[in-house]
Amino acid sequence: MRLYYKPGACSLASHIVLREIDAEFDLEQVDTDAGRTETGADYTTVNRNGYVPDLRLDNGTVVTENMALLQYLGGLRPERGLLPAQGTMEYVRLQETLSFLASELHKAFSPLFSGADLSPAQRQDVHRRISGRIGHLDRQLADGRPFLLGDDYSVADAYAFAVLNWTGFVDFPLADFPDVERYIRRVGERPAVIDALKAEGLVQ
């Protein structure tokens, strides 16, 4: 398998899960602004949408979009417990959480990475939206659960970590969200997460 990724982007979630399941895979970095991979290939020939993540399987099949890709990877090694069994309420909660992460939390950060010159009022509005989405997660974690679905780490936690990690890049303080702060530290201590961050050059 080959994962096309951009350091620190949402593709970090799939990168983490690949390491969680001990998959054999290659990495190819993408400059999404230039539309080129690190080998010089036109990235639109790989992914016509031009964004990451993108996973090319050994048989040539391509899987894209975080929700689909994370569930595909989690299903490769069901014994790792990263994906609840279909038909269970835990699986419903996973779908619920992944949908929230993709359509609410992830999208709330998008204006900060658009390249647009935001006015102070626009930036304040973006921060307000991010605060609301992170506040939702903080309330969810306030019952003492270690992970978003409860006691068990799942693919949703890899996605949440990848997005919440952006707070450090956009100078968004988390002092008002103590449970989310603890959660980020907890997930960030997992060996697969540390290895993925190192491989992408995000930590030493």
Side-chain angles (χ1 to χ4, degrees):
M1 292 186 285
R2 179 179 297 271
L3 177 69
Y4 291 88
Y5 79 103
K6 183 176 182 177
C10 61
S11 50
L12 175 62
S14 295
H15 187 178
I16 289 169
V17 174
L18 282 163
R19 293 181 183 274
E20 292 280 4
I21 65 173
D22 290 327
E24 292 186 8
F25 66 97
D26 297 318
L27 290 170
E28 185 154 354
Q29 186 172 326
V30 178
D31 181 337
T32 53
D33 293 327
R36 294 282 171 182
T37 74
E38 64 183 293
T39 60
D42 178 354
Y43 186 54
T44 60
T45 64
V46 178
N47 185 323
R48 66 185 61 184
N49 290 322
Y51 53 72
V52 293
D54 185 294
L55 185 72
R56 184 172 293 273
L57 307 185
D58 294 339
N59 65 5
T61 300
V62 173
V63 184
T64 65
E65 303 299 333
N66 274 307
M67 284 186 63
L69 187 44
L70 291 171
Q71 292 181 80
Y72 170 75
L73 292 174
L76 291 179
R77 297 290 298 275
E79 70 275 13
R80 295 299 173 94
L82 300 179
L83 194 69
Q86 291 191 31
T88 64
M89 182 52 64
E90 289 78 11
Y91 186 76
V92 173
R93 294 304 182 203
L94 175 72
Q95 302 306 309
E96 182 180 58
T97 302
L98 288 174
S99 294
F100 173 81
L101 294 173
S103 63
E104 299 295 333
L105 182 64
H106 186 160
K107 293 300 183 185
F109 281 89
S110 296
L112 299 179
F113 298 114
S114 67
D117 188 13
L118 301 179
S119 69
Q122 289 172 321
R123 188 169 294 274
Q124 184 177 27
D125 185 59
V126 171
H127 277 234
R128 180 185 60 78
R129 291 175 183 272
I130 294 172
S131 291
R133 305 315 185 261
I134 294 180
H136 171 79
L137 295 182
D138 200 63
R139 290 187 294 274
Q140 187 173 343
L141 293 163
D143 63 4
R145 66 181 66 189
F147 303 111
L148 292 181
L149 299 186
D151 291 332
D152 297 324
Y153 178 84
S154 74
V155 296
D157 296 298
Y159 192 6
F161 177 85
V163 176
L164 291 169
N165 198 47
W166 296 342
T167 58
F169 294 99
V170 299
D171 194 28
F172 183 92
L174 289 172
D176 292 336
F177 310 103
D179 288 298
V180 165
E181 275 196 304
R182 285 189 286 270
Y183 169 76
I184 293 172
R185 287 197 298 270
R186 184 181 306 116
V187 177
E189 291 171 353
R190 295 180 68 85
V193 175
I194 294 170
D195 289 345
L197 291 172
K198 286 181 177 178
E200 296 194 10
L202 300 173
V203 298
Q204 297 297 318

